Amino acid sequence: MKVDDDLVGGIELEPQDSHQPEGQVGHTLDLDSPHCGSSLLNNGEMGWQDQEDTDRYRPQNLDSFYFRIYEYCRERGWQCIVMNRVLNLLALCFMIGFTGFLTLMVNWNVVLACDSEATCKHDIINTQPFKKRWVVGFHDEKPVSVGPGIFTVFMVFFLSACCVFLLHNLLRCLYDLKEFWIIKKFMNDRLQITEEEMATVEWNEVIDGMVRLQEEGVLITRNKITPLDVTNRIMRKENFLIAMINKGVVSLDFPLCKGWMPPFFTKTMEWCLNYCITGHMFDPHTFKVKQRFIAHPDTLARNFFMCGVATLVLSPFIALFVMLYSFFKYGQEMHKNPGSLGTRHWSPLARWKFREFNELDHFFEKRLNASYPKANKYVQQFPSMFVSIIAKFVVFVGSAICGVIIVLSLMDEAVLLYVKIADRNLLWYLAICGLVVASARPLVIDSHSNFEPDKAFTSLVEDTHYFPSKWRFKLHSHKTYEAFSVLFPFKVSSFFYEVLSIFIVPLMLMFYLPKQASSITKFVGDFTETRPELGDVCSFAVFDFERHGNAKYGAHIPHDKYYRSKQGKMEKSFITFLENNPNWTPSDDGMLLVKKVQERQQVLTASMASLTSDKFAEESQSSMHSSMDDLAASFTNEV
């Protein structure tokens, strides 16, 4: 077939062999195929430079190409990518080696029995961990015969599994570095972005550069490059999961814990859902949803069950790895700043509820980072007086003890080591009391704060874009606070919840989620849209207002509730995408939405300005997202 000269500069491509097996990509590509345009760029096996003209680039897998470009920009260039991956491997090597040393080669009976110079003369290091040996007992000095036991066997299996994981990461690292080296050459040579400029380059500049290369005939793709198409390819899988969470297709409440424990959407569950659903639903060559995935939900149910069995078998190793990794990573932070135990963060469920269609990672993280101070301000509107009273008492007692010990140490520092109470020196009591005081102090209520939950939450919504209708006019209630706390829990409780989920998630995968397979595959079939230039994508992600418009949030075409996103997710995502990509030209339906929201924004801004002085005129400006929430509220009141 012949391609327009203005698109590929007169290069001719042969169509794909009609006898080629379905779902496989041959050496020649049809430009009508949605994946045409690149392999990452032809160079050797990846070959994304045109073999007839090395100055032209024709990627064979646009999803991988755009994703690698984005990752390269997000990680800030080649040097940071190499250093990050190499040091991650070294950290994993250290963790495996250090864990093996502590569990297999240290004579803990000797270490724990060491309380004087005389009792510390025995060998602490065991150079032959798999042989029987005689060591000094912990409670007395009688020698005790010890040797390999169940714990030793478990640790050997655990360390072996960690070594396999290390080998997998090493191979993945080598593959990634090879891919990113090709991207580096493209960024440096064609986009003219140096490694020094990678520290500050904006994603929109990169897209503009690719558009320029396409217009010059250097980067060859079938369709015109637009920010929406690029983002849809990068987030093809994530958009489907965002839609499922928004529509409540996947229920994550464990039946035995429903009502007294939050939904089990942890990192473990997130990985399993991605693997079982989005990891199996697409044909990797055509970017289309496999018809057998939709037609045979039993296959998905079987995937859930098998993934649950594998996770259950590995759960002891996974739990130990998570605990060791967390201890090594955060141990020093907890010792230096015990108050960090009382800090909060957004749960994995909250992150998927807040994330919008086509919102790339760096835009999303920027929005969430801005929300933390406001989220903390809202939860501080609901202090526990009972806990605060106890915390004040603990701080008082602990501070008094620390004060006395510090004064004694100023007189003679030797008392810290040689004065003992219940076989513990004063230095130990100073450390424990300091830890207790630092942990209790954040729980003490500031008596000078005002109770303004509505104001605090209104400010928070500007960043989260999340305001369920059932919370409206109830932001001061404790029930709303409890629901919000599920999305914004304490880090320490989130950690224990994550460890617990390692054992709960396999049971949900085996006995609960298979029952939801039919609803999941039906949702994928109903909300998949085929675009010639993209393949199959989530229909919410292409901002199809004719099919999914919600009149409550400004869309001019109302639709049935089943086909609308909840809480105006699609409409809000459209506004966010437009703000993040100012050079993008939306459709006529999108422009009508923008016009309607802007009109409402002007009304709100004028209304607030009339109630405030000129000094606060700037603060009274209403954002487009708050205007959409207000539009939805007014629509509901009118109905």
Side-chain angles (χ1 to χ4, degrees), residues 605-624:
T605 301
S607 176
M608 289 188 293
S610 65
L611 299 176
T612 58
S613 62
D614 294 339
K615 180 180 179 181
F616 302 104
E618 184 175 349
E619 297 182 3
S620 66
Q621 292 292 324
S622 171
S623 72
M624 294 187 71

Side-chain angles (χ1 to χ4, degrees), residues 289-453:
V289 175
K290 300 174 183 177
Q291 289 303 312
R292 63 179 179 270
F293 177 86
I294 300 175
H296 301 286
D298 292 343
T299 303
L300 177 59
R302 185 167 57 252
N303 289 341
F304 279 139
F305 184 81
M306 296 306 297
C307 184
V309 172
T311 308
L312 184 63
V313 172
L314 297 174
S315 58
F317 302 130
I318 298 174
L320 180 59
F321 182 88
V322 169
M323 289 187 288
L324 288 173
Y325 175 79
S326 301
F327 177 77
F328 291 152
K329 184 176 182 179
Y330 300 110
Q332 191 273 342
E333 179 182 349
M334 289 187 292
H335 176 266
K336 182 180 179 181
N337 182 24
S340 62
L341 294 173
T343 57
R344 294 173 179 262
H345 71 153
W346 294 116
S347 68
L349 178 60
R351 298 176 69 89
W352 283 103
K353 281 181 175 287
F354 295 168
R355 192 169 185 179
E356 295 174 339
F357 301 115
N358 296 324
E359 186 174 23
L360 293 171
D361 284 338
H362 70 291
F363 290 126
F364 180 58
E365 292 299 331
K366 179 181 178 181
R367 188 159 61 88
L368 277 197
N369 290 338
S371 72
Y372 275 99
K374 301 173 184 178
N376 282 310
K377 186 175 181 180
Y378 176 73
V379 297
Q380 289 169 2
Q381 302 294 315
F382 301 87
S384 174
M385 295 300 298
F386 179 77
V387 173
S388 178
I389 292 171
I390 296 177
K392 284 182 180 180
F393 173 76
V394 172
V395 169
F396 174 77
V397 174
S399 300
I401 296 174
C402 288
V404 172
I405 296 177
I406 291 174
V407 171
L408 291 176
S409 66
L410 293 176
M411 299 172 59
D412 185 0
E413 66 275 9
V415 298
L416 291 177
L417 297 176
Y418 299 109
V419 176
K420 294 187 177 181
I421 301 176
D423 279 341
R424 300 288 185 180
N425 58 38
L426 296 183
L427 186 61
W428 184 86
Y429 287 101
L430 179 63
I432 294 298
C433 290
L435 179 66
V436 171
V437 170
S439 301
R441 197 179 298 277
L443 301 176
V444 178
I445 298 174
D446 182 9
S447 59
H448 301 289
S449 60
N450 296 323
F451 183 70
E452 297 176 325

Side-chain angles (χ1 to χ4, degrees), residues 463-619:
D463 296 318
T464 62
H465 305 167
Y466 184 75
F467 197 171
S469 57
K470 60 183 178 182
W471 290 3
R472 297 185 187 277
F473 311 111
K474 299 179 182 179
L475 296 174
H476 60 282
S477 71
H478 200 269
K479 188 175 181 179
T480 301
Y481 164 74
E482 290 179 345
F484 181 81
S485 296
V486 171
L487 303 177
F488 196 58
F490 288 106
K491 286 183 178 180
V492 62
S493 64
S494 184
F495 169 74
F496 288 113
Y497 183 60
E498 182 72 44
V499 174
L500 177 63
S501 74
I502 295 174
F503 302 96
I504 299 296
V505 165
L507 301 179
M508 296 182 65
L509 289 169
M510 294 167 63
F511 304 112
Y512 186 50
L513 285 179
K515 300 176 182 178
Q516 304 179 39
S518 297
S519 61
I520 293 173
T521 55
K522 182 180 184 301
F523 175 85
V524 172
D526 291 343
F527 291 89
T528 295
E529 186 164 325
T530 301
R531 292 290 178 98
E533 69 276 15
L534 292 174
D536 286 352
V537 292
C538 178
S539 52
F540 287 128
V542 293
F543 305 132
D544 189 348
F545 295 103
E546 291 187 0
R547 184 178 177 188
H548 303 297
N550 190 337
K552 291 171 59 177
Y553 290 88
H556 66 291
I557 304 176
H559 276 281
D560 183 73
K561 184 177 181 181
Y562 175 75
Y563 290 101
R564 300 195 306 255
S565 61
K566 291 185 177 181
Q567 300 171 29
K569 170 73 77 174
M570 187 184 74
E571 287 76 13
K572 292 179 180 179
S573 299
F574 171 80
I575 295 297
T576 299
F577 188 83
L578 187 60
E579 292 174 343
N580 293 334
N581 299 271
N583 295 332
W584 175 61
T585 303
S587 63
D588 293 339
D589 292 338
M591 293 303 298
L592 289 175
L593 172 67
V594 171
K595 182 179 179 181
K596 189 171 184 178
V597 174
Q598 286 178 339
E599 290 175 353
R600 187 65 183 181
Q601 181 184 18
Q602 294 173 359
V603 173
L604 281 177
T605 301
S607 176
M608 289 188 293
S610 65
L611 299 176
T612 58
S613 62
D614 294 339
K615 180 180 179 181
F616 302 104
E618 184 175 349
E619 297 182 3

Side-chain angles (χ1 to χ4, degrees), residues 206-216 224-226:
V206 176
I207 293 184
D208 292 342
M210 289 192 290
V211 171
R212 173 178 54 80
L213 291 181
Q214 185 188 47
E215 293 173 348
E216 294 173 356
K224 182 179 179 181
I225 296 175
T226 66

